[in-house]
Amino acid sequence: AWGGRTIIINKSKELMALMDGSPYDFIVHHKEEDRKRFLHFKHRTFNATDLLYFIDFLQHHYRAQPSLEAAFLVKEKFISVEASLNHFHSYFFRLPEAPPRTGKHIAAPFKGSSCKRLNMFLRWMVRHDDKGVDFGIWNQIPQGGLICPIDVHVARVAKKLGLLHRNAVDWLAALELTHQLRQLDEADPVKYDFALFGLGVGEKF
């Protein structure tokens, strides 16, 4: 696990260097010829084609909107995280040059995916407390509406605690787990993610 994290950290440093240490400024202001520097970037199944489209999408978005939060709102409103993630998927791939292969890198509930990474990202950006655990800089998505990130470790612990009965680790499992966590704290259900994940990975519960 630590070896995988080290690779991700090194790849992140590589990407930051390619963006001159200022990703937002590069995304918004770069020129077409600047994209050539990414042609040899690759991380597992994520290659230059995928990265170049991500950059293209982000440039289009940030030239029109000050925050990425707008990409998760449906007609400028929050309906549910499920609606937000499905909308984000269609919004992300709305550009005519979107490569079909890149679709596998953006999860969505309509695909049945648990959307672990996106739910974790929303937790970071939306959730706030006095502990400084998450950023809490977005304010149009209520933290009570967040969905708990779930993977095999969290699912295993949740089953042992009687919080989850579904076998598949998918979107329905994420909804089931979050529903149970809302019985414990309706206003902040995903705060239990830290304990569940820690028990599953760190404590091998």
Side-chain angles (χ1 to χ4, degrees):
W2 285 110
R5 293 179 188 179
T6 300
I7 292 173
I8 292 173
I9 290 172
N10 290 337
K11 281 296 180 179
S12 297
K13 289 180 178 179
E14 178 186 344
L15 194 54
M16 285 289 288
L18 289 171
M19 294 185 178
D20 303 322
S22 183
Y24 177 82
D25 186 65
F26 179 87
I27 289 292
V28 175
H29 301 294
H30 77 274
K31 301 292 190 288
E32 185 67 30
E33 57 268 24
D34 295 323
R35 301 186 185 193
K36 294 178 181 178
R37 66 181 74 177
F38 299 101
L39 292 179
H40 300 291
F41 184 89
K42 183 178 182 181
H43 176 57
R44 295 180 178 174
T45 63
F46 189 84
N47 66 19
T49 298
D50 306 314
L51 177 56
L52 288 171
Y53 182 74
F54 270 59
I55 291 172
D56 197 30
F57 161 76
L58 290 170
Q59 185 179 70
H60 276 81
H61 177 80
Y62 281 120
R63 283 182 172 180
Q65 299 285 348
S67 169
L68 190 61
E69 184 175 16
F72 291 89
L73 301 176
V74 182
K75 295 183 179 179
E76 302 182 356
K77 295 181 180 180
F78 173 77
I79 299 174
S80 68
V81 166
E82 182 169 351
S84 291
L85 295 183
N86 282 331
H87 171 74
F88 178 73
H89 187 278
S90 61
Y91 176 74
F92 189 93
F93 291 106
R94 78 193 193 285
L95 301 181
E97 61 270 28
R101 62 154 283 119
T102 306
K104 65 184 177 182
H105 293 295
I106 300 293
F110 75 82
K111 295 181 176 183
S113 170
S114 70
C115 300
K116 174 193 168 182
R117 293 178 180 84
L118 284 171
N119 280 323
M120 188 174 296
F121 175 69
L122 288 180
R123 193 201 77 197
W124 291 339
M125 303 305 288
V126 172
R127 185 179 178 274
H128 56 85
D129 57 20
D130 58 357
K131 305 274 192 307
V133 175
D134 295 310
F135 300 118
I137 58 177
W138 287 0
N139 54 29
Q140 296 189 68
I141 299 174
Q143 78 176 15
L146 294 173
I147 300 297
C148 186
I150 186 172
D151 60 10
V152 292
H153 305 292
V154 171
R156 184 177 70 250
V157 174
K159 287 178 183 178
K160 287 186 177 182
L161 295 176
L163 297 171
L164 179 66
H165 300 286
R166 186 171 177 79
N167 289 323
V169 183
D170 56 10
W171 182 252
L172 292 179
L175 292 180
E176 181 185 341
L177 173 59
T178 305
H179 174 74
Q180 294 299 322
L181 296 179
R182 286 200 179 106
Q183 311 309 305
L184 303 175
D185 191 335
E186 185 176 3
D188 191 12
V190 302
K191 72 180 182 183
Y192 300 105
D193 173 44
F194 309 114
L196 293 171
F197 184 77
L199 283 172
V201 175
E203 303 297 329
K204 306 297 182 183
F205 182 75

